[in-house]
Amino acid sequence: MDAAAILSQCSLFASLDGAGLAELAALCSEVQVPGGDPLFVAGAPADCLYIVVTGRLRALRADGSIAGDISRLEPIGEISVMTDEPRSGEVYALRDSLLLRIDRDALLGFVGRYPTAMQAITRVLIHRLRQNLRPQTAANLPARQALAIVPAGPSVAIASFVDRLERSFRRLGETPELLDAARIDSDLGAGASQLPLTDSVGNSRLIDWLARREAGGHRLLYRADSEREAWAERCMRQADRVLVVTDDRTRPIDS
């Protein structure tokens, strides 16, 4: 990963020159957070700042209400890091996510040498503090949520359902992008869609590829042709909503 390129696109550090970006990149480490897992909880020490490389996370206030969703190139935890206070709320991954981590002491030493970075951080702090005073509404949530379409059993053929769904979105003026195992294997190599989630290198590469698809602005439709394949699990971990398709021959899954 080119950490300097990622930092150059983040609002906190976009004003830095090449030397500053290179110095800051050397302070970064990579962190992978599986979808559904917490990044930190309320009351945890504010020992670092994060930048989202790929994925999406959600911030909750202490009362459990939604403070906001955090997407690619956005910072996480900058308020508590700069105020040296425990985390005020919880942040967890909505999807498999890849982050850059910068330890607090290293960051404070860096901004002492680069005042322009401190000014940018201050602007973001003010924006976030204002945002935290407002309740999260549907208007603040992602407009084009990614959907996973998964069959409920081996007898369910979902190709025609997905085709109708695509046409419906097109009638609404959207241009959805269909992602299935064949597309992944074609673009990333045979077997890429079935890589286990424990394959950290392959996982990072695939997540980055999927994030670039979403950055194109299209609604993503993740299609799994079998509920038991590794790609089906990947679809459900990457999507904002999951549609489980059934038919009159498929027995409902026991809860």
Side-chain angles (χ1 to χ4, degrees):
M1 181 200 307
D2 188 343
I6 297 296
L7 294 169
S8 71
Q9 300 174 71
C10 175
S11 59
L12 293 184
F13 308 115
S15 61
L16 292 174
D17 58 21
L21 290 170
E23 182 179 340
L24 185 60
L27 303 176
C28 295
S29 58
E30 295 182 21
V31 177
Q32 292 190 30
V33 188
D37 281 9
L39 178 62
F40 54 73
V41 297
D47 55 355
C48 62
L49 168 76
Y50 298 96
I51 306 295
V52 181
V53 180
T54 62
R56 180 176 295 154
L57 299 95
R58 175 160 290 174
L60 303 178
R61 301 185 181 91
D63 62 3
S65 62
I66 298 174
D69 287 357
I70 310 162
S71 301
R72 175 174 164 80
L73 303 177
E74 292 189 281
I76 302 174
E78 70 285 351
I79 295 177
S80 52
V81 164
M82 300 310 296
T83 59
D84 194 20
E85 297 178 343
R87 307 293 191 186
S88 60
E90 176 185 354
V91 172
Y92 68 94
L94 290 171
R95 305 178 182 173
D96 290 348
S97 300
L98 179 64
L99 316 176
L100 289 179
R101 170 186 168 128
I102 309 173
D103 288 340
R104 180 176 185 273
D105 291 343
L107 178 65
L108 293 181
F110 177 82
V111 297
R113 298 188 295 276
Y114 288 88
T116 56
M118 187 68 238
Q119 294 170 5
I121 291 173
T122 301
R123 288 194 296 270
V124 173
L125 286 177
I126 293 171
H127 173 75
R128 286 285 176 92
L129 288 169
R130 287 173 175 170
Q131 183 183 50
N132 288 346
L133 295 175
R134 299 193 298 269
Q136 186 77 350
T137 66
N140 303 124
L141 296 173
R144 291 181 175 171
Q145 296 186 331
L147 301 178
I149 304 99
V150 182
S155 67
V156 180
I158 64 170
S160 61
F161 175 84
V162 174
D163 183 61
R164 294 196 303 272
L165 185 63
E166 281 191 274
R167 291 201 303 269
S168 296
F169 279 125
R170 292 182 190 282
R171 284 196 294 270
L172 294 173
E174 294 192 27
T175 306
E177 183 172 1
L178 178 63
L179 301 177
D180 57 14
R183 168 78 184 280
I184 301 303
D185 291 348
S186 173
D187 283 27
L188 296 181
S193 63
Q194 305 304 326
L195 285 174
L197 298 173
T198 53
D199 184 335
S200 59
V201 175
N203 193 43
S204 176
R205 179 168 174 254
L206 179 52
I207 291 174
D208 180 66
W209 187 91
L210 294 172
R212 283 186 274 116
R213 302 281 72 71
E214 188 167 23
H218 304 304
R219 183 189 295 277
L220 300 185
L221 301 179
Y222 290 91
R223 189 185 87 182
D225 293 313
S226 169
E227 83 282 9
R228 298 186 183 278
E229 62 182 2
W231 173 244
E233 182 178 2
R234 175 83 59 182
C235 291
M236 291 185 282
R237 293 172 72 97
Q238 290 297 125
D240 299 300
R241 293 288 186 270
V242 177
L243 299 178
V244 179
V245 183
T246 188
D247 58 22
D248 56 7
R249 296 175 295 172
T250 302
R251 184 177 178 180
I253 299 173
D254 294 331
S255 59

